[in-house]
Amino acid sequence: MTSTTEMPTAARRRPSASASASQKRFGEAGNVLNVFSHGFLALWAMMIVLPLLWVVLGSFKTSAQIGTSAWTWPTNWSLDAFARAWSKGIGSYFANTLLVMAMSVTATMLLGAMAAYVLARYDFRGNRVIYYIFVAGAMFPVYLALVPLFFQVNQFHLLNSYVGLALVYTAFSLPFTVFFLHAFFKTLPTAIQEAAFVDGCSHTRAFFQIMMPMARPGLISVGIFNILGQWNQYLLPVVLMQRQRGDTEAHQVLTQGLVNLSATQGYAGDMPSLFAGMTIAMLPVLAVYLSFQRQVQAGLTSGTLK
Amino acid sequence: MKLSKNTRKNLFVTACLTGPVGLYAVFVLWPYLETFGYSLTNWSGVAPPSRFVGLDNYTALFDDPVFRTALWHNLLLLILLPPATIVLALFLAFMLNVGGRGNTAGIRGVRGSAFYRIVFFVPQVLSVAILIVMFQATYRSDAAGLLNGIAIAVGITDPAHPLPWLASPDAVLWCIIAILIWQWVGFYMVLFSAAMQSIPKEIFEAALLDGAKRGQTFLRVTIPLLWGSVQTAWVYLSIAAMDGFALVASLTQGSSYGGGPDHHSEVLATYLMRNFLTFGKAGYACAMGVVIFAITLALATLMLRFTRRDNVEY
């Protein structure tokens, strides 16, 4: 660090004078920079908020209004569009997504923690090999597995099934989960665990009642990472959740359902209900994010910085 | 019957590993390995028996003009996306953490930084589908689109001839790149913020005391100390640049999985999916998957090798 912060001798001799001088200059520079930086920050914030708000307002416009000009103010202040969007399946797409994620996030956390714990704290033959095979999976693009994966899932008759999608989500989330939790379990103290074993605690109990609670911060970080990752999945549902025959029921998740709706809505001309559908899909997520934003950001950064 | 200590340990290890390893092997490892095998066949994807064709798929790939276009687009993304996103994210993170006026209370972020931090991250939590609907409306090629509305209001274009955005062969790829940057900047801003906050404030204060201006503090002090996270960001963004499927497939024109107009926004992922699910050329699609893998692997290795620097301890 010495190379970048070498103190000039003058500053060392007269700290008070130089400090006030630098403060003054810094203050002046601050004014110019603040206008510029605030302008840029505000612009970027607008670029995120404005389009979203504009689309939400669109759900209170009429189709004709949306089709003519970008700048009409909504006149149709009713929830018709929302009711139409709901009846077109937005509600069930949402429920499908939640169902799949309830299964996949639980399975990811449980299986990931079990594997990471055993790999981090038990000595056995093949330990390193299994660990590296897991970690390698995080490096590979999904596209490499895509085509055979489709036929693999098909062999188990799990195409267009919630369980199938949840299993695939879980399998693809394991590399990062194991990698992260492995590091976490390594850092936990061994003394408590050893004391438990002396008292006759079984391995299973030690894991569930001692190590899992101690690993809570790590579990929460990885949990958030997996929730966001699986919530944003697009490719896997597109490939795995297609309706197999005309008479089967479509089990679309939200990403897919909303995009399909937008593809058909574009021709059908019911833009307000599409915008309403988007609003319905967006509000709960935003509400959850705003309430837990601190944890989300902290969890994600601790997940990627390591 | 009482089991020995060792047996109980082994039973526990086996019980814990069977589930995760089994699932991982079936749905991740085995498909990965199969791809390499299938890429050497002319498998149609319907019936299992397929003919071994050696490297024919690979030679065909590099003679395929659409594949070459898609590859070029992905390489363009690789060149543009990581630096643009990282520079913007670093700048925003610097503003939010140490860009504020320094006074006797020390160094802090600009006013309202808590608010910005929340807003900038929003694109990451909204699902891709929500972003797709939003950008379809924003990029509409008639006067009713948000961007055209702004362009008309500002006087860049007249209402009779709105800008075509995603329908324009010259602009479509740039529109997609803009969305990707817009989407990722917030995430890396948060990542860099966390890294900046772990730098001791005394370092910034010492630099300021020595008369360093904010620009100098940023370039000479902050960036070198953040090198590790910049490296991580570069690798992740390169992987994102090799993808682009969701946006291209749903926002651009084209008979299946977008890529239009006339392949001007084609990326490897969309062409792979079209060959696999629409054209029934599964072997060919597998060869494409292997190419994507090879590029990703080469990139990650190169990045980690070339950007290696001495880590600064603090």
Side-chain angles (χ1 to χ4, degrees):
Chain A
M1 268 330 296
T2 44
S3 60
T4 45
T5 57
E6 259 178 60
M7 272 201 174
T9 42
R12 237 180 258 152
R13 260 185 239 122
R14 294 178 287 115
S16 57
S18 101
S20 71
S22 88
Q23 248 168 44
K24 198 174 155 204
R25 183 180 42 200
F26 198 58
E28 282 162 9
N31 282 334
V32 185
L33 234 144
N34 270 345
V35 175
F36 171 69
S37 61
H38 269 293
F40 189 78
L41 290 169
L43 182 75
W44 198 270
M46 283 252 298
M47 276 166 55
I48 290 164
V49 176
L50 186 72
L52 284 170
L53 215 60
W54 180 73
V55 171
V56 171
L57 279 177
S59 49
F60 297 104
K61 295 178 188 173
T62 60
S63 280
Q65 260 186 310
I66 293 176
T68 45
S69 162
W71 298 122
T72 53
W73 190 250
T75 50
N76 177 31
W77 291 107
S78 73
L79 297 175
D80 305 350
F82 290 85
R84 287 202 304 276
W86 192 265
S87 68
K88 276 172 191 156
I90 284 293
S92 63
Y93 298 151
F94 213 102
N96 293 351
T97 310
L98 287 184
L99 176 68
V100 170
M101 280 181 62
M103 293 192 281
S104 58
V105 172
T106 316
T108 306
M109 297 309 289
L110 186 68
L111 295 180
M114 282 180 355
Y117 173 69
V118 166
L119 290 171
R121 307 201 68 124
Y122 285 83
D123 231 2
F124 55 92
R125 269 175 52 173
N127 182 320
R128 298 310 285 167
V129 177
I130 297 178
Y131 173 71
Y132 282 122
I133 287 177
F134 265 119
V135 172
M139 295 286 285
F140 297 164
V142 190
Y143 294 97
L144 184 64
L146 200 64
V147 180
L149 177 70
F150 176 82
F151 294 98
Q152 192 82 321
V153 176
N154 190 19
Q155 261 177 15
F156 292 108
H157 302 287
L158 286 173
L159 283 179
N160 196 23
S161 104
Y162 302 126
V163 174
L165 190 64
L167 286 176
V168 172
Y169 277 2
T170 307
F172 277 88
S173 309
L174 278 177
F176 182 79
T177 312
V178 170
F179 171 67
F180 181 83
L181 288 178
H182 182 268
F184 207 85
F185 279 123
K186 273 252 185 240
T187 61
L188 293 180
T190 47
I192 302 173
Q193 191 188 8
E194 275 160 12
F197 283 143
V198 170
D199 287 348
C201 181
S202 72
H203 290 281
T204 322
R205 257 187 81 181
F207 173 61
F208 282 106
Q209 295 195 328
I210 298 167
M211 297 315 274
M212 286 283 265
M214 283 208 291
R216 239 183 87 171
L219 291 174
I220 291 174
S221 294
V222 188
I224 291 170
F225 200 91
N226 283 324
I227 289 171
L228 276 187
Q230 296 179 4
W231 166 252
N232 267 320
Q233 255 313 321
Y234 180 77
L235 179 74
L236 291 173
V238 163
V239 176
L240 300 176
M241 297 302 274
Q242 299 167 31
R243 200 190 280 209
Q244 292 311 300
R245 291 188 313 273
D247 56 340
T248 52
E249 200 187 335
H251 290 164
Q252 300 187 6
V253 296
L254 191 71
T255 29
Q256 226 184 332
L258 204 56
V259 170
N260 285 353
L261 197 65
S262 84
T264 52
Q265 249 14 241
Y267 304 108
D270 190 4
M271 289 300 277
S273 85
L274 177 62
F275 289 171
M278 187 201 122
T279 312
I280 296 174
M282 187 176 79
L283 286 181
V285 191
L286 274 186
V288 172
Y289 167 60
L290 290 181
S291 350
F292 295 102
Q293 47 93 11
R294 230 167 251 282
Q295 288 87 326
V296 171
Q297 298 199 348
L300 268 191
T301 44
S302 75
T304 24
L305 278 177
K306 279 186 181 153
Chain B
M1 187 186 79
K2 197 137 169 64
L3 296 169
S4 80
K5 217 175 152 189
N6 223 7
T7 319
R8 270 186 287 152
K9 188 198 105 180
N10 286 337
L11 268 178
F12 177 70
V13 169
T14 318
C16 277
L17 283 178
T18 312
V21 171
L23 195 65
Y24 182 67
V26 168
F27 288 118
V28 182
L29 278 187
W30 185 237
Y32 274 149
L33 292 176
E34 275 185 313
T35 303
F36 290 99
Y38 284 141
S39 74
L40 304 174
T41 67
N42 69 348
W43 186 36
S44 69
V46 186
S50 44
R51 201 165 53 85
F52 179 80
V53 294
L55 294 175
D56 282 6
N57 282 327
Y58 293 93
T59 42
L61 266 185
F62 287 95
D63 284 333
D64 183 342
V66 180
F67 173 80
R68 284 208 303 257
T69 315
L71 183 64
W72 162 241
H73 289 159
N74 273 118
L75 293 179
L76 197 68
L77 274 167
L78 270 176
I79 297 166
L80 293 172
L81 182 66
T85 312
I86 288 173
V87 166
L88 274 167
L90 272 175
F91 174 73
L92 293 177
F94 183 74
M95 280 301 154
L96 294 189
N97 289 291
V98 286
R101 204 171 299 193
N103 54 21
T104 41
I107 310 295
R108 55 189 167 81
V110 297
R111 244 202 249 170
S113 54
F115 165 77
Y116 289 126
R117 208 185 299 267
I118 296 172
V119 171
F120 292 169
F121 196 74
V122 164
Q124 283 295 314
V125 290
L126 298 178
S127 156
V128 189
I130 295 173
L131 299 187
I132 286 167
V133 172
M134 188 186 100
F135 277 105
Q136 268 170 351
T138 307
Y139 277 129
R140 264 177 81 133
S141 53
D142 55 15
L146 180 62
L147 279 177
N148 275 329
I150 292 172
I152 291 167
V154 178
I156 297 173
T157 181
D158 73 293
H161 305 283
L163 302 168
W165 303 109
L166 294 167
S168 150
D170 299 326
V172 61
L173 195 64
W174 299 102
C175 292
I176 298 290
I177 294 177
I179 303 176
L180 283 168
I181 295 175
W182 176 91
Q183 186 188 0
W184 284 106
V185 160
F187 178 83
Y188 289 104
M189 188 271 299
V190 169
L191 183 78
F192 295 146
S193 281
M196 274 181 202
Q197 273 158 10
S198 65
I199 302 174
K201 294 215 159 162
E202 294 82 63
I203 294 181
F204 289 112
E205 281 162 358
L208 289 175
L209 218 57
D210 289 347
K213 296 218 177 61
R214 238 178 298 199
Q216 285 173 309
T217 332
F218 181 63
L219 290 177
R220 297 276 181 79
V221 181
T222 318
I223 304 266
L225 290 179
L226 285 186
W227 203 248
S229 10
V230 171
Q231 217 176 7
T232 313
W234 205 296
V235 173
Y236 281 120
L237 279 165
S238 306
I239 294 173
M242 287 305 294
D243 189 339
F245 175 74
L247 293 177
V248 174
S250 51
L251 285 174
T252 61
Q253 306 169 358
S255 53
S256 52
Y257 308 109
D262 198 22
H263 303 301
H264 276 93
S265 63
E266 199 75 71
V267 288
L268 294 174
T270 52
Y271 194 49
L272 185 156
M273 286 287 280
R274 196 175 315 133
N275 273 289
F276 167 35
L277 290 177
T278 313
F279 300 160
K281 291 161 90 176
Y284 197 55
C286 280
M288 242 179 271
V290 174
V291 171
I292 295 178
F293 163 69
I295 298 174
T296 316
L297 192 70
L299 265 169
T301 325
L302 278 181
M303 265 351 275
L304 294 175
R305 183 144 302 171
F306 276 118
T307 58
R308 185 181 297 157
R309 285 198 186 177
D310 294 332
N311 273 326
V312 187
E313 298 284 336
Y314 48 83

